[in-house]
């Protein structure tokens, strides 16, 4: 009995906090997404599916199909995917380089990798405005891609690095002894070993890139609006909370689904390693 | 240790160049004697003078600290208890609880921001209050708790639960066993978690933006509203100063702790945005 009280005392407060401030808002988002727009903050308007229909481009009666918002959604996925891909191109070789250094140098290189990312995110994005604006590149799609890649590169490199560090190089030697070309040896002996880090890195890059609104807000224009900008707009100028709630819940659902799939694959340990 | 090719080394240093270029440009241009600063017009310190003369900057700095310090204290206590409990007890809901803890770390900030905005609006229909310092503080604790809990949990992971039992067998009370055995073991994790929570709070823009209302501002919110209006050299100066302070704190912390794993872990998140 006493031990149960201690159990509650240690896990209770934090759990209650998370239920109120994380589960609570999630449920509110879901509930609001089925309501109609009224005065901001008012509940009790008629229940409707209109907000969800609107996301997919339909009006209330399914008569017209105007896929503007669907286009924003697709663009968000595309921009996040391309930025993640560029992060792979830049970061994957870098992880190998760092892992191959002697211990002291390795730590310095890791610190150097992380330092820029302790600088405030807004400031890092703002710096790109200073660089790109004289070339007439703000706002532009290129600027958005650059900003995104820059913003999320370390999230990608760090998990990949921890995988690369654990690579068993004897497998490569074995592959080479068996006559494999270097390329073949890489794909057969190294790449599979780095896959867990690669997957974690892709998740950690793709998810924030999917939800961002600052990068596209500051470096892009209305043509590069992403789902994050759409959400921001519903809670700002457009003042349409129920629609904003539907969009947010869609984003939340997508992320949770991805996380759940990852948890199924990687288990409790994998979840804890994600940060 | 493996050999690396010169090509890989060159490529890697180019990537490092990419990482540092914007920050260097920012610092250089904060000393540029030009209002619209696309070209170099000579060295000046005047933007720093302009910056220190701005009362809104001082107010935003105060606001930032008024949020960061209390929220770090609250989240460190809650997170340490949570991390300890996850390590100490085996129970059915452990994986769902871990999942719940990871959610604030992975959900896009904009979703957390608007979710809390709506929660506050709903509570407001019962209890009247306005958004400001308190609402921002509660929001920050929410994303900080998970980081502290997971850091503490990771720190304790290497230790055997029977250490506490041994202390009790030797006559320690439960509280004594916790305070004199477990807490000292967890302390590096607690401190790392607190440092991380503090920086996350300083860095946060999105969640603060949605939960702060109109009367209360932190530095990131101030920077955002200024940047939206265009490039201003005094904001370059403010950014350069923040970069300097950050670098100083990090280098000191890494010299003191002698380990970079904490920084590695903490850099894996992008609270500010996203």
């Amino acid at each position: 009995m006493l031990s149960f009280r201690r159990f509650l005392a240690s896990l209770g407060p934090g759990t209650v906090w998370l239920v109120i401030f994380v589960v609570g808002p999630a449920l509110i988002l879901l509930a609001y997404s089925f309501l109609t727009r009224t005065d901001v903050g008012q509940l009790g308007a008629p229940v409707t599916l209109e907000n969800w229909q609107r996301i997919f481009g339909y009006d209330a009666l399914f008569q017209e199909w105007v896929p503007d918002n669907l286009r924003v959604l697709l663009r968000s996925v595309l921009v996040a995917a391309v930025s993640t891909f560029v992060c792979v191109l830049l970061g994957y070789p870098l992880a190998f380089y760092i892992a191959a250094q002697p211990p002291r140098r390795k730590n310095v290189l890791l610190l150097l990798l992380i330092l820029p990312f302790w600088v405030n995110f807004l400031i890092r994005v703002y710096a790109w405005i200073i660089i790109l604006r004289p070339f007439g590149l703000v706002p532009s799609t290129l600027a958005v891609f650059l900003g995104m890649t820059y913003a999320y590169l370390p999230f990608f490199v760090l998990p990949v690095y921890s995988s690369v560090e654990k690579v068993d190089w004897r497998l490569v030697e074995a592959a080479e002894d068996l006559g494999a070309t270097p390329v073949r040896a890489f794909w057969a002996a190294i790449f599979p070993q780095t896959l867990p880090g690669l997957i974690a890195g892709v998740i950690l890059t793709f998810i924030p890139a999917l939800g961002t609104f600052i990068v596209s807000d500051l470096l892009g224009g209305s043509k590069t609006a992403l789902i994050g900008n759409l959400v921001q707009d519903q809670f700002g100028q457009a003042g349409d909370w129920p629609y904003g709630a539907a969009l947010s819940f869609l984003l939340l659902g997508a992320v949770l689904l991805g996380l759940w799939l990852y948890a199924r694959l990687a288990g409790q340990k994998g979840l804890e390693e994600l940060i | 240790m493996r050999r690396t090719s010169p090509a890989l080394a060159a490529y890697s240093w180019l990537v490092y160049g990419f990482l540092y270029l914007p920050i260097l440009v920012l610092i250089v241009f904060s000393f540029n004697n030009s209002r619209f600063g696309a070209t170099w017009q000579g060295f000046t310190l005047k933007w720093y003078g302009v910056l220190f003369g701005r009362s809104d900057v001082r107010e935003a700095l105060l606001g930032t600290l008024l949020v960061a310090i209390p929220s770090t204290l609250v989240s460190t206590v809650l997170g340490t208890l949570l991390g300890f409990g996850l390590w100490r007890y085996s129970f059915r809901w452990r994986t769902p609880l871990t999942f719940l803890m990871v959610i604030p770390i992975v959900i896009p900030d904009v979703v957390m921001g608007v979710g809390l905005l709506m929660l506050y609006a709903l509570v407001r229909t019962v209890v009247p209050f306005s958004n400001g310092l308190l609402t921002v503080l509660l929001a920050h604790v929410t994303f900080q708790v998970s980081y502290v809990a997971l850091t503490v949990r990771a720190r304790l992971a290497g230790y055997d639960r029977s250490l506490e039992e041994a202390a009790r067998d030797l006559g320690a009370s439960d509280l004594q066993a916790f305070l004199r055995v477990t807490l000292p073991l967890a302390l590096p994790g607690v401190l790392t978690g607190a440092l991380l929570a503090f920086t996350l709070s300083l860095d946060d823009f999105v969640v603060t933006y949605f939960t702060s209302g109109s009367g209360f501002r932190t530095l990131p919110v101030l920077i955002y509203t200024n940047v939206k209006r265009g490039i201003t050299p005094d904001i370059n100066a403010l950014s350069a100063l923040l970069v300097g302070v950050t670098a100083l704190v990090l280098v000191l912390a890494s010299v003191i702790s002698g380990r970079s794993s904490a920084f590695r872990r903490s850099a894996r998140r992008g609270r500010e945005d996203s």
Side-chain angles (χ1 to χ4, degrees):
Chain A
M1 201 58 223
L2 195 69
S3 119
F4 185 67
R5 268 207 336 243
R6 280 202 311 274
F7 172 75
L8 277 188
S10 88
L11 289 166
T15 309
V16 169
W17 189 288
L18 289 175
V19 167
I20 294 175
F21 290 100
V22 178
V23 179
L27 295 178
I28 294 173
L29 283 177
L30 182 62
Y32 261 70
S33 74
F34 293 107
L35 296 177
T36 316
R37 171 183 183 175
T38 52
D39 295 339
V40 167
Q42 292 297 303
L43 274 166
V47 172
T48 175
L49 281 173
E50 217 174 303
N51 300 305
W52 289 95
Q53 283 165 225
R54 223 176 118 193
I55 291 179
F56 297 100
Y58 293 101
D59 63 356
L61 299 167
F62 286 103
Q63 281 166 336
E64 258 184 291
W65 190 56
V66 188
D68 284 359
N69 290 330
L70 202 56
R71 207 170 283 148
V72 174
L73 255 57
L74 288 177
R75 186 191 296 138
S76 303
V77 173
L78 198 70
V79 167
V82 172
S83 308
T84 306
F85 182 68
V86 178
C87 281
V88 176
L89 289 184
L90 294 178
Y92 193 72
L94 183 66
F96 278 86
Y97 177 73
I98 299 175
Q101 304 303 311
R104 273 192 74 93
R105 205 173 139 87
K106 200 187 286 185
N107 279 332
V108 173
L109 284 177
L110 281 172
L111 190 66
L112 278 178
L113 179 71
I114 291 153
L115 264 178
F117 296 88
W118 280 72
V119 174
N120 190 288
F121 188 88
L122 274 173
I123 294 178
R124 281 186 278 136
V125 175
Y126 170 60
W128 281 103
I129 302 183
I130 302 179
I131 297 174
L132 295 174
R133 212 182 54 164
F135 301 99
L137 284 170
V138 177
S140 73
T141 313
L142 179 72
V144 173
F145 281 127
L146 261 174
M148 288 252 187
T149 307
Y150 184 72
Y152 302 119
L153 187 57
F155 303 154
F156 175 77
V157 179
L158 292 166
V160 175
Y161 164 79
S162 31
S163 262
V164 172
E165 216 188 11
K166 288 184 216 139
V167 163
D168 183 354
W169 293 96
R170 287 172 308 181
L171 286 180
V172 184
E173 281 154 30
E176 279 166 357
D177 289 346
L178 291 170
T181 62
V183 175
R184 180 92 200 276
F186 170 80
W187 286 109
I190 303 175
F191 184 73
Q193 296 190 65
T194 60
L195 207 54
L198 194 61
I199 293 172
V202 165
I203 292 177
L204 289 172
T205 315
F206 187 78
I207 288 180
L210 189 65
T212 184
F213 79 86
I214 299 177
V215 179
S216 41
D217 187 31
L218 295 181
L219 295 172
S222 56
K223 280 183 196 152
T224 55
L226 305 179
I227 182 167
N229 305 89
L230 216 51
V231 172
Q232 185 202 10
D233 199 37
Q234 304 314 314
F235 288 89
Q237 277 172 350
D240 191 343
W241 284 30
Y243 186 49
L247 288 165
S248 306
F249 196 82
L250 182 71
L251 199 52
L252 178 65
V255 169
L256 289 186
L257 185 68
L259 188 66
W260 181 74
L261 287 174
Y262 178 79
R264 292 278 317 254
L265 274 169
Q268 163 102 13
K269 209 166 161 288
L271 264 185
E272 281 166 12
E273 272 174 10
L274 204 58
I275 60 152
Chain B
M1 207 180 85
R2 299 273 300 180
R3 286 164 292 124
T4 54
S5 74
L8 179 60
Y11 186 77
S12 302
W13 286 106
L14 276 179
V15 176
Y16 272 104
F18 172 64
L19 291 179
Y20 280 88
L21 171 78
I23 292 171
L24 289 179
V25 168
L26 192 70
I27 294 172
V28 168
F29 274 76
S30 74
F31 297 110
N32 187 12
N33 192 7
S34 153
R35 176 89 204 135
F36 300 103
T39 53
W40 181 254
Q41 304 284 338
F43 181 87
T44 180
L45 283 173
K46 74 176 170 200
W47 306 121
Y48 287 85
V50 172
L51 181 69
F52 291 128
R54 282 178 63 169
S55 63
D56 59 339
V57 171
R58 285 197 300 268
E59 255 167 54
L61 177 65
L62 182 69
T64 303
L65 293 175
L66 281 179
V67 171
I69 295 169
S71 67
T72 302
L73 291 176
V74 175
S75 63
T76 302
V77 173
L78 286 178
T80 302
L81 286 173
L82 207 53
F84 165 75
L86 275 177
W87 167 77
R88 179 69 184 75
Y89 302 102
S90 302
F91 52 100
R92 242 173 100 190
W93 294 85
R94 242 182 81 162
T95 305
L97 184 59
T98 311
F99 193 82
L100 179 62
M101 273 169 34
V102 176
I103 292 176
I105 296 172
V106 295
I107 60 167
D109 283 3
V110 64
V111 174
M112 185 183 259
V114 301
L116 287 166
L117 174 71
M118 295 178 105
L119 174 73
Y120 294 152
L122 190 64
V123 175
R124 193 171 296 118
T125 59
V126 187
V127 195
F129 64 93
S130 56
N131 284 359
L133 175 63
L134 183 70
T135 49
V136 175
L137 224 148
L138 295 175
H140 280 214
V141 171
T142 305
F143 63 68
Q144 289 169 319
V145 162
S146 300
Y147 286 96
V148 179
L150 289 166
T151 316
V152 171
R153 164 83 182 71
R155 165 73 197 176
L156 285 171
Y159 296 101
D160 198 317
R161 287 179 219 172
S162 56
L163 278 172
E164 258 200 0
E165 282 158 29
R168 253 172 282 151
D169 286 348
L170 291 169
S173 72
D174 291 322
L175 192 64
Q176 277 176 324
F178 175 73
L179 289 178
R180 308 209 15 203
V181 177
T182 314
L183 198 58
L185 286 177
L187 202 60
V190 175
L191 293 178
T192 307
L195 179 68
L196 181 53
F198 188 72
T199 11
L200 290 175
S201 173
L202 293 186
D203 201 40
D204 179 73
F205 161 69
V206 177
V207 175
T208 312
Y209 174 73
F210 283 108
T211 54
S212 60
S214 55
F216 179 79
R217 280 207 287 193
T218 61
L219 275 182
V221 175
L222 175 115
I223 293 173
Y224 177 77
T225 35
N226 277 267
V227 169
K228 279 300 268 184
R229 273 188 252 129
I231 296 179
T232 49
D234 45 334
I235 290 301
N236 292 358
L238 176 62
S239 307
L241 269 182
L242 290 177
V243 170
V245 172
T246 314
L248 197 70
V249 170
L250 275 182
V251 170
L252 279 179
S254 81
V255 167
I256 292 168
S257 78
R259 306 171 49 211
S260 56
S261 64
F263 303 109
R264 222 176 293 162
R265 187 172 302 118
S266 38
R268 282 191 201 170
R269 39 116 6 241
R271 191 74 267 162
E272 42 357 271
D273 160 48
S274 334

